[in-house]
Amino acid sequence: MKKLLMASAATALMAGAASAEDVKLGVILGFTGPIESLTPHMADGAEMAMAEVTASGKFLGGGSVTSVRADSTCVDSAAATAAAERLITAEGVKGIMGADCSGVTGAILANVAVPNGMVMISPSATSPGLTSAEDNGLFFRTSPSDARQSAVMSQILMEGGVKSVAVTYTNNDYGKGMADAFKADFEAAGGEVTIVAAHEDGKADYTAEIGALASAGGDVLVVAGYIDQGGAGIVRGALDTGAFDTFHFPDGMIGSNLTANFGTDLDGSTGQVPGTDSPGSATFADLVGDKFDVTSPYTGESYDAAALILLAMQAAGSVEPGDYASKVEMVANAPGEQIFPGELAKALEILAGGGDIDYVGATAVELINGGEASGSYRQIKIEGGEMMTVGYR
């Protein structure tokens, strides 16, 4: 059946080529807000895939791809939905790479993408709640759910001899989902969670929050927050008061600003962020070179998200979301010839000829459960004021 579908797509390709002379893809990320130090590198990753496809001359009979950026803010759902609406109605994008943070991603999905029949592939929205969101087959993600991250986090801490933790989380969908899932996993593994307390972003002073966390105690403070916002404020308050000197950081806290801001004060602290040591990861790093910071979180996931949209269009022979949405998982998974970063031209040629591909990409892409990334994690430890990769899970 898949072969027949691909043959049909190849036939449709010739008919649809003229409409794909210049295809616009939306890139909606929090260029302002609590992860603004991460998003430029994510956008660069996505746009690298777009440039590669355009340069190939093989996309829908020689079409080109243009990126249109929009600011999700990461935290303001109203602003994010307005930005997404603009991408569709004013800019005429045919797919959205994004959004980034889970709350704004869910808002855009429900209020913009589903009503407009628009495909979204998020590189970094990790809330478990998005797994069951009504998406009409339009939403995918290249980063794994926090339901998996919490299990990995529990394993890292237990194997490190940590028996008790205090948990603080940014008070939104991402933070609460992470905190709830982690508490369940850590306690199931035999650990003690002394407190689970929310913190608000944008505050100048976190003395009250630090006091409550210190009173509860714990071997380690888990900070499920944002590196450019309240999470950093919590860490600074904990260090300045001596409440905690060892931390564990989920993905929202991993970035160059973490060690730039705190240096050796964080030595001995740990964390994890989606990542892989697959051959595609090394190839992606070589391709990027010094164009942007390839070690910044979600750059590979962003490249893969944009690539999947464009390859699904090629498989469908159409840039219309209603035509290509059903092809996303088909190009992402086996069977077919494996495709790595830098090989998008080869993938486009195979698809144009009616063949099958298995897109591996930069992050060992495998979509499960209707568009979820199976995913793996890069384990982090901070020593000498630097983040060191100590393994993958």
Side-chain angles (χ1 to χ4, degrees):
M1 178 60 74
K2 187 174 181 182
K3 292 288 187 183
L4 290 173
L5 288 171
M6 295 305 296
S8 297
T11 301
L13 186 62
M14 297 306 295
S19 65
E21 290 183 1
D22 184 32
V23 178
K24 292 182 179 180
L25 283 193
V27 173
I28 185 163
L29 300 169
F31 294 108
T32 62
I35 59 167
E36 61 187 18
S37 65
L38 310 183
T39 50
H41 307 297
M42 294 166 65
D44 287 342
E47 289 164 357
M48 182 174 161
M50 298 180 205
E52 185 181 335
V53 165
T54 297
S56 75
K58 299 178 185 297
F59 177 60
L60 293 173
S64 60
V65 186
T66 298
S67 171
V68 184
R69 293 189 180 189
D71 188 5
S72 77
T73 75
C74 179
V75 292
D76 186 337
S77 292
T81 54
E85 284 280 9
R86 177 183 62 80
L87 286 177
I88 296 171
T89 59
E91 299 291 348
V93 302
K94 296 298 185 179
I96 292 177
M97 200 299 299
D100 46 0
C101 298
S102 296
V104 294
T105 298
I108 292 170
L109 176 63
N111 299 318
V112 182
V114 169
N116 287 279
M118 182 57 61
V119 168
M120 292 175 63
I121 303 186
S122 172
S124 58
T126 55
S127 170
L130 290 169
T131 300
S132 56
E134 291 294 332
D135 65 1
N136 291 354
L138 296 167
F139 178 67
F140 308 85
R141 45 184 171 178
T142 50
S143 57
S145 164
D146 286 334
R148 170 154 166 70
Q149 182 172 189
S150 64
V152 169
M153 184 157 56
S154 294
Q155 292 167 7
I156 292 171
L157 289 167
M158 293 300 290
E159 290 172 12
V162 175
K163 302 300 183 185
S164 65
V165 298
V167 178
T168 180
Y169 66 91
T170 183
N171 193 17
N172 62 18
D173 290 355
Y174 160 71
K176 188 171 190 322
M178 168 67 74
D180 289 347
F182 169 69
K183 181 177 187 295
D185 281 327
F186 193 65
E187 290 179 341
E192 178 190 5
V193 177
T194 61
I195 186 175
V196 178
H199 64 262
E200 302 294 337
D201 287 322
K203 294 181 63 174
D205 180 54
Y206 289 94
T207 300
E209 290 85 350
I210 295 301
L213 294 165
S215 178
D219 299 334
V220 166
L221 176 60
V222 174
V223 184
Y226 294 129
I227 182 54
D228 296 320
Q229 252 299 342
I234 290 286
V235 173
R236 172 53 63 202
L239 290 171
D240 287 350
T241 61
F244 293 90
D245 58 12
T246 308
F247 305 85
H248 188 90
F249 300 113
D251 56 331
M253 291 295 295
I254 303 295
S256 59
N257 276 1
L258 184 63
T259 49
N261 291 341
F262 301 107
T264 56
D265 287 345
L266 295 183
D267 281 4
S269 295
T270 53
Q272 72 284 319
V273 65
T276 174
D277 58 350
S278 67
S281 176
T283 302
F284 180 63
D286 289 342
L287 285 174
V288 172
D290 61 0
K291 296 182 182 71
F292 55 88
D293 182 5
V294 74
T295 67
S296 188
Y298 300 114
T299 56
E301 287 83 358
S302 298
Y303 174 93
D304 289 343
L308 284 175
I309 292 174
L310 298 173
L311 293 174
M313 288 178 175
Q314 185 85 343
S318 170
V319 301
E320 298 303 324
D323 296 332
Y324 75 79
S326 63
K327 308 297 183 185
V328 174
E329 286 193 64
M330 187 173 71
V331 299
N333 296 343
E337 183 162 351
Q338 291 192 332
I339 301 296
F340 294 92
E343 296 184 338
L344 299 184
K346 179 171 76 171
L348 292 168
E349 190 168 347
I350 292 170
L351 291 169
D356 292 332
I357 66 166
D358 173 11
Y359 182 77
V360 179
T363 62
V365 172
E366 181 72 17
L367 297 184
I368 59 174
N369 300 331
E372 296 277 296
S374 55
S376 60
Y377 287 86
R378 178 163 62 101
Q379 184 176 340
I380 300 296
K381 187 169 185 178
I382 299 173
E383 293 293 352
E386 300 291 334
M387 275 192 290
M388 315 292 292
T389 299
V390 296
Y392 294 87
R393 295 174 181 256

